[in-house]
């Protein structure tokens, strides 16, 4: 028996509906035919995919693993269809990038512009994500390239060092810390902190550092976007830790003061990650070569 799309789609439908009957209906199959497809696939794989219950079925761990691959396959098929159709319009490739907010704010735009100018027939899609989300998107086949800060959470990814960054502090003009050249993180814990939403790498790093000091992070406001953070700091609602590049720009636009963060962990790297494979697709390889020339892959593991 071959692994055909009809059977794989059926497994996905059953997993989502928790019912062989409803899964069969969704895929327009007779119940007997659907049951046979499931049993034949279980026999081929040598595992049980569903546990039969009085009110339906429950997917096993083996089924959940299979479903992850089915979703990845769907994403690949969708990308394949989209890319092939675009050849008729003169497009010769489609690059899907998932990048964390910091890399977009600090270093990615000029590199994207240069790459687009050098490769005008490659269409680029960019999604603003957290570092964890960027890694997951690449690992699951929803993105070709991920840009994120360590740690590496999935050893299916091959990574390169892309750019260096440093975290800095923004405080309102006239704030008690505004006259200081540098502050420690402990100094900031006495104030309300304005940051990105939960899951953002800098936010999680600060939470860990506060816990290591036996303190609580006073995350008064959490928003999406560095510009919103800067405006809230200007309004006097708290202080913020964000990448030095955008922090310096905001200090010239808003009534805020840039202060150095005197912590070793304030220095951090942006990594470029792709799904580990013997040979990268040509479009992906061109992008890696453009952003990380002559930089060997890192052998990082979670």
């Amino acid at each position: 028996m071959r692994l055909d799309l009809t059977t794989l789609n059926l497994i996905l439908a059953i997993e989502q509906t928790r019912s062989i009957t409803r899964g069969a209906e969704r895929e327009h199959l007779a119940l007997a035919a659907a049951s046979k497809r499931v049993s034949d696939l279980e026999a081929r794989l040598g595992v049980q995919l569903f546990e039969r219950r009085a009110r339906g079925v429950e997917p096993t761990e083996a089924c959940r693993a299979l479903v992850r691959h089915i979703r990845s396959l769907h994403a690949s098929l969708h990308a394949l269809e989209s890319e092939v159709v675009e050849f008729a319009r003169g497009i010769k490739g489609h690059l899907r990038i998932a990048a964390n907010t910091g890399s977009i704010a600090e270093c990615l735009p000029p590199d994207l512009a240069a790459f687009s100018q050098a490769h005008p027939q490659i269409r680029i899609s960019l999604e603003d994500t957290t570092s964890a989300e960027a890694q997951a998107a690449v690992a699951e086949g929803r993105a070709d390239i991920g840009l994120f800060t360590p740690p590496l959470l999935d050893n299916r990814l091959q990574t390169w060092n892309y750019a260096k960054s440093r975290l800095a502090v923004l405080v309102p003009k006239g704030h008690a810390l505004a006259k200081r050249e540098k502050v420690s993180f402990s100094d900031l814990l006495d104030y309300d902190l304005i940051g990105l939403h939960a899951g953002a790498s800098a936010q999680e790093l600060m939470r860990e550092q506060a816990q290591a000091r036996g303190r609580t992070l006073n995350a008064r406001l959490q928003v999406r976007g560095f510009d919103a953070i800067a405006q809230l700091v200007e309004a006097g609602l708290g202080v913020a830790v964000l990448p030095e590049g955008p922090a310096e720009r905001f200090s010239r636009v808003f009534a805020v003061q840039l202060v150095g963060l005197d912590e070793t962990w304030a220095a951090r790297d942006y990594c470029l990650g792709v799904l580990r494979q013997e040979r990268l697709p040509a479009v992906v390889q061109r992008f890696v070569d453009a952003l990380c020339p002559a930089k060997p892959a890192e052998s990082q593991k979670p």
Side-chain angles (χ1 to χ4, degrees), residues 205-226:
L205 177 59
M206 289 192 294
R207 195 179 305 281
E208 292 171 3
Q209 291 296 324
Q211 290 177 348
R213 291 165 169 78
R215 302 283 299 277
T216 300
L217 192 68
N218 298 321
R220 180 177 182 181
L221 295 169
Q222 292 178 279
V223 296
R224 287 187 176 270
F226 292 142

Side-chain angles (χ1 to χ4, degrees), residues 20 30 39 59 64 87-88 108 110 116 155 157 164 176 187:
I20 295 178
S39 59
R64 292 189 178 95
F87 274 84
L108 184 58
S116 294
N155 60 10
L157 270 59
K164 292 190 177 297
D187 295 329

Side-chain angles (χ1 to χ4, degrees), residues 29-149:
L29 294 170
L31 179 58
S35 296
K36 187 174 189 310
R37 282 180 177 271
V38 173
S39 59
D40 286 349
L41 182 58
E42 288 178 326
R44 174 183 171 81
L45 298 177
V47 295
Q48 183 179 357
L49 297 175
F50 298 100
E51 294 179 357
R52 277 66 174 176
R53 303 284 175 83
R55 295 186 177 180
V57 296
E58 185 69 23
T60 63
E61 287 301 318
C63 179
R64 292 189 178 95
L66 177 59
V67 164
R68 286 196 297 271
H69 287 287
I70 295 172
R71 287 179 174 143
S72 178
L73 176 61
H74 279 181
S76 297
L77 289 174
H78 177 72
L80 181 151
E81 182 180 9
S82 299
E83 189 168 332
V84 170
V85 167
E86 287 182 339
F87 274 84
R89 306 188 201 120
I91 298 296
K92 294 186 177 178
H94 181 198
L95 192 64
R96 301 166 300 157
I97 303 171
N100 75 335
T101 304
S103 66
I104 295 174
E106 287 207 273
C107 48
L108 184 58
D111 287 333
L112 274 185
F115 184 81
S116 294
Q117 187 174 7
H119 305 280
Q121 293 177 312
I122 295 176
R123 184 164 69 86
I124 297 175
S125 299
L126 175 63
E127 183 181 3
D128 184 349
T129 68
T130 66
S131 288
E133 289 168 346
Q135 294 185 51
V138 174
E140 295 169 8
R142 294 180 282 108
D144 305 302
I145 299 282
L147 292 165
F148 49 85
T149 55

